[in-house]
Amino acid sequence: MNIRITKPIQGGAVRAVSSKSEAHRLLICAALADSETFVFCADRPEDINVTAGCLEALGARVQYKRDGFYVTPINRQAENKETNQYVLDCGESGATLRFMLPVCGALGFKTSFNMRGRLPSRPLSGLYEAMISHGCKLSEPGCSPLTCEGQLKSGVYSIPSNISSQYVSGLLLALPLLSKDSIIHIKGILESYPYVDMTLEALRMFGVAVSEEEQQVFRIRGNQTFNSPKSVTVEGDWSSAAFWLSAGAIGNRPVTCTGLNLASRQGDRAIVNLLERFGAKTSFENGNVTVSPGTLKGIEIDVKDTPDLAPVLAAVAAAAEGTTIIKNAGRLRIKESDRLRTVTVSLSNLGADIKETEDGLVIAGRKTLTGGETESFGDHRIAMTAAVVSAVCTGDVMIRNAEAVRKSYSGFFEDFISLGGVWEKY
C-alpha cells in the first residue's frame, strides 16, 4: 500500500495500543502455566498473532475473545514429543523466534521454525552456540526453516551482551522448566536491560523466581511451576506512543496518549524525558501523557537501552535547532531493516540533513522539511517515522509499502486520521 499524506495530524488524544513486547512474554508464560489464563490485550498486531500461532502449534489453545486471549496451556507431557514434528511459523518476528527457540528446547519438542523477510539472516550467534553446547541439535542458521531437536540441559550459559537482550529473555523463559538450576552469565555490559526487566516481571506474575546474584549473573531455579494468576493485563505500549508524543513535540498542537503506565518497566517510557530535553512541554494525569510544542534544540542521546526510539528521535531532531547526535545505536543495523541506513535515506528523501555513523546518527535540524517520496523498507518503525515527520513538511509525504506498520500497530493510519491527519492511496 502506497499512501500520500496531504495533511499531518492536528493534535488530539489517542489510546496507547497494547505493548507488543509485554504481550509476547505474557502469552508464553500463560502457555507454560498450570491452568488457563486470560491475557487482556486490546490490540493484535501481526507479531502477537504470530506468537499466538506458534503456541497453538505446540498444543496450547489460544482464543481471542472480548479484548483478550484465553490461553489453555501446552501439554508438556505430550506423548511422542521427541518424534512429533512441530512446525512454528515465526513470520518476521525476531522476538518470537528468539523466545520460542529455547522454550522448545526446554520442552524437548522436535521443532521446525519457518521465517520470512529478513528474519533468517538476523543474528542468532550466541544463543545458537549456547543451546548446542547444552544438548540441542540445530540446523545451520541463515536459512528457513531452522530445525531444533534434543533436550536442553541445565548448566551455566554465557551469553554475549552486544547482540540482543532477547537471547537472555528467551533463556529466562525456558530454564525454569528444566530439572536442575541454571545460571546465565552475561559477557560485557548488557544493552536493552529494560527488556530483560520486563521478562523478569512477567515471570514474577506467574510465580517464577529468578535471582540476580551479582550484576549480569542470573540464577534460575529448576523444576519451577508457572502458576497462573488467572488474568493479566498487557500495558499500553510506550514504543508506539512515542510516535504520537513526538508528533506533539514537532507539530503545532498538543497530542495526548491515554492508557500509559508511568511506572512501567518499559524502557521506552524514556521518550517523555527525551522530548523534555529537546524542549517540548509535557504533562501527566491519570495515565494520560500530553506533549505540546516547544522551542526544540538539538541534544546528544545514548540509545543503548532504548534502540527502538532512535527512528522517531531522528524525526524530532530533524526539526530541532542545532545538531543532535544519536549514539550507541549499532544494533539498529540488525533490525527489520538496517535502521541507521534506512532512517538516513528516508528522512533525507523528505528534506532532512542527516548522516549515519558506524553506530549512530548525526542530524542538523531545520525549521521545515520539504516532504517528498520515501520507502518503508518493509520496516514498521520507518513507515511510522515518515508519517510523523510530515508534521514539519511543507509538501505532501508519500510512503511506499506503508502497510509495514501492521507488524506492530495495525491501526496506525486509522489513528493518524483520528488525530486530524489526511492520507490517500496512490
Side-chain angles (χ1 to χ4, degrees), residues 380-398:
H380 52 132
R381 299 197 190 280
I382 303 303
M384 291 189 281
T385 296
V388 165
V389 86
S390 68
V392 293
C393 291
T394 57
D396 294 350
V397 169
M398 292 160 282

Side-chain angles (χ1 to χ4, degrees), residues 30 33-40 69-71 73 205-206 226-233:
D34 57 351
S35 60
E36 185 180 80
T37 305
F38 177 67
V39 180
F40 179 81
F69 295 91
Y70 286 88
V71 183
M205 290 183 192
F206 284 80
F226 284 68
N227 294 302
S228 172
K230 305 308 177 186
S231 66
V232 289
T233 299

Side-chain angles (χ1 to χ4, degrees), residues 256-270:
T256 299
C257 279
T258 66
L260 290 168
N261 177 11
L262 292 177
S264 172
R265 285 178 165 79
Q266 296 177 54
D268 288 347
R269 71 186 185 282

Side-chain angles (χ1 to χ4, degrees), residues 317-390:
E321 181 183 346
T323 299
T324 295
I325 297 173
I326 297 175
K327 63 181 183 179
N328 285 328
R331 286 184 303 112
L332 289 174
R333 295 196 184 278
I334 56 173
K335 296 289 188 174
E336 285 84 344
S337 67
D338 175 347
R339 284 185 182 156
L340 293 182
R341 174 62 53 82
T342 56
V343 168
T344 300
V345 172
S346 181
L347 291 182
S348 294
N349 288 343
L350 301 178
D353 184 348
I354 178 172
K355 296 179 176 61
E356 63 176 299
T357 65
E358 184 178 352
D359 77 335
L361 300 166
V362 178
I363 306 106
R366 294 173 172 171
K367 189 173 183 180
T368 60
L369 305 186
T370 58
E373 186 171 19
T374 193
E375 166 68 48
S376 74
F377 301 95
D379 190 325
H380 52 132
R381 299 197 190 280
I382 303 303
M384 291 189 281
T385 296
V388 165
V389 86
S390 68

